[in-house]
Amino acid sequence: MNDDDEFNDIQRKLEELRTEHRDLDDVIARVAEEAPFDQLRVQRLKKRKLRLKDQIIQLENDLLPDIIA
């Protein structure tokens, strides 16, 4: 695998994670509107969203070239 393929794979993965992250906003909003309110489910969804955000940040960092100070 060359650098361009790896870069494209990371870009694709980033887009998938960003889409899932946005979709979780909608899911959390819908669950929060339900009666009775399922606090445990909302907490789990928010934790998933935070894990996704961490993965997104890591992949974004992988795309940045190392800068020698």
Side-chain angles (χ1 to χ4, degrees), residues 30-38:
R30 283 196 306 271
V31 170
E33 292 172 356
E34 293 174 0
F37 179 67
D38 190 346

Side-chain angles (χ1 to χ4, degrees), residues 28-59:
I28 291 168
R30 283 196 306 271
V31 170
E33 292 172 356
E34 293 174 0
F37 179 67
D38 190 346
Q39 183 65 35
L40 182 59
R41 186 170 178 212
V42 170
Q43 286 176 327
R44 287 180 179 155
L45 290 168
K46 286 183 177 183
K47 281 185 182 180
R48 172 70 180 146
K49 190 175 170 193
L50 285 173
R51 282 193 302 270
L52 286 171
K53 186 65 174 174
D54 289 342
Q55 289 177 304
I56 290 168
I57 290 169
Q58 181 62 50
L59 288 174

Side-chain angles (χ1 to χ4, degrees), residues 2-63:
N2 65 34
D3 288 342
D4 286 340
D5 290 340
E6 187 175 346
F7 180 83
N8 290 333
D9 287 345
I10 293 173
Q11 286 286 79
R12 260 191 305 281
K13 183 65 176 173
L14 259 174
E15 191 53 42
E16 290 171 13
L17 292 173
R18 287 175 178 144
T19 299
E20 185 177 351
H21 189 265
R22 281 189 305 269
D23 291 347
L24 275 172
D25 282 331
D26 295 334
V27 173
I28 291 168
R30 283 196 306 271
V31 170
E33 292 172 356
E34 293 174 0
F37 179 67
D38 190 346
Q39 183 65 35
L40 182 59
R41 186 170 178 212
V42 170
Q43 286 176 327
R44 287 180 179 155
L45 290 168
K46 286 183 177 183
K47 281 185 182 180
R48 172 70 180 146
K49 190 175 170 193
L50 285 173
R51 282 193 302 270
L52 286 171
K53 186 65 174 174
D54 289 342
Q55 289 177 304
I56 290 168
I57 290 169
Q58 181 62 50
L59 288 174
E60 288 172 342
N61 288 339
D62 289 348
L63 290 177

